[in-house]
Amino acid sequence: MSGTQSPVTSVDRALLILQEIGRHSRGMTIDELSTRLGLPKSSLHRLLGALKHRGFAAQPDPGGPYFLGTEMLATAFRFYETMDVRAVIHRLLLRLSEEFAETVHMATLDGAEVVYLDKVETMRAITMTSVVGGRNAAHATGVGKALLAWTYPTDEAIKAWAERHGPLAAPTRSTITSPAKLAAHMALIRERGYALDLEENEPSVRCVAAPVFMGKPTPVAAVSVTALKDRMPPARMEEIGASLLKAIAEF
């Protein structure tokens, strides 16, 4: 159980029950739940009764194991089908902008390009080609590489993507345009957990970007911290990368 005390114990316990049931595809008996959560069976009976009444838990056979109910699944699917990614992730951008005092972006992948859905600037804002609603080549941007690395998670998949959308444009002299080199670069990004744009989209501009999954197998978006290269030496980029991954994990 979590070490943080919930302000409403019964609600907290109900959520713990759902989390625990969700980890076991074959369901869980009340004895197993009592052992795992350290809760008395009497309390579990009451809470499971309420969850069953609302369709968030199910017990197909009397006395048998409990499963997540259809309403639980339907609620989750409805949320993801209608989710406004920009609205959900905007607060993360505000946090990153305040923490680093640099421009932050959020973008999604569309074929060979990224589409910028949100942007938060600071007093140190710099002139860039990125605008909300605008597009850039995915392979040349931090957000694009963060999205590509996990949307196409193998060398073969990345090479096929590059061939399909090639020849890849070179906005600057630093842009990676070779499918083989891009595939090797994506492998490094997956190992590190975040992507770097080392003046590959715009001269003198660097950024650190990471994917946001929100429970899905491939990223729903990527977020980045962008600054002039003078404010982005290697040590600073490594520091931002670690902080970016931590912020997304806590998001």
Side-chain angles (χ1 to χ4, degrees):
M1 295 177 65
S2 171
T4 302
Q5 183 63 41
S6 170
V8 183
T9 302
S10 60
V11 174
D12 187 53
R13 288 179 171 180
L15 294 173
L16 287 172
I17 290 169
L18 292 174
Q19 286 180 331
E20 196 62 39
I21 294 174
R23 296 188 183 104
H24 298 81
S25 60
R26 295 184 178 181
M28 294 196 75
T29 66
I30 197 163
D31 289 333
E32 291 170 333
L33 284 167
S34 180
T35 300
R36 295 281 295 187
L37 300 177
L39 296 175
K41 294 180 185 178
S42 57
S43 297
L44 286 170
H45 272 298
R46 290 194 299 270
L47 292 168
L48 286 165
L51 292 171
K52 286 171 60 179
H53 176 69
R54 292 297 180 184
F56 283 80
Q59 187 183 33
D61 300 314
Y66 289 87
F67 298 84
L68 292 182
T70 55
E71 184 56 33
M72 177 74 181
L73 302 176
T75 299
F77 286 133
R78 281 196 300 268
F79 172 76
Y80 279 111
E81 287 174 358
T82 62
M83 177 177 59
D84 183 342
V85 174
R86 181 184 181 279
V88 173
I89 298 179
H90 184 71
R91 61 187 176 89
L92 174 61
L93 297 192
L94 294 175
R95 170 183 168 178
L96 295 172
S97 177
E98 181 177 355
E99 180 177 353
F100 299 115
E102 300 288 2
T103 298
V104 295
H105 298 90
M106 188 265 283
T108 57
L109 187 63
D110 184 18
E113 300 175 314
V114 291
V115 181
Y116 295 97
L117 300 185
D118 203 356
K119 180 178 181 179
V120 177
E121 297 181 310
T122 68
M123 294 295 291
R124 298 200 293 179
I126 58 178
T127 301
M128 291 179 283
T129 60
S130 58
V131 295
V132 175
R135 293 169 176 262
N136 270 321
H139 67 283
T141 62
V143 284
K145 291 194 287 183
L147 290 163
L148 288 172
W150 280 273
T151 302
Y152 301 95
T154 65
D155 288 357
E156 292 73 19
I158 281 290
K159 289 176 183 177
W161 175 89
E163 295 291 350
R164 185 164 63 252
H165 296 289
L168 299 179
T172 76
R173 295 173 61 183
S174 301
T175 311
I176 299 172
T177 58
S178 160
K181 289 182 179 179
L182 186 64
H185 187 63
M186 292 295 112
L188 291 176
I189 291 172
R190 291 185 210 102
E191 182 179 343
R192 186 172 51 214
Y194 56 87
L196 303 179
D197 170 0
L198 300 175
E199 303 172 68
E200 296 163 62
N201 189 57
E202 298 182 63
S204 300
V205 176
R206 294 179 175 180
C207 83
V208 184
V212 180
F213 291 90
M214 297 187 68
K216 294 195 174 184
T218 56
V220 298
V223 297
S224 68
V225 179
T226 306
L228 293 173
K229 69 174 183 178
D230 293 342
R231 300 201 295 265
M232 280 279 202
R236 177 62 170 161
M237 298 186 84
E238 185 175 342
E239 176 189 341
I240 290 175
S243 296
L244 188 56
L245 294 179
K246 183 175 183 290
I248 292 172
E250 296 172 348
F251 167 65

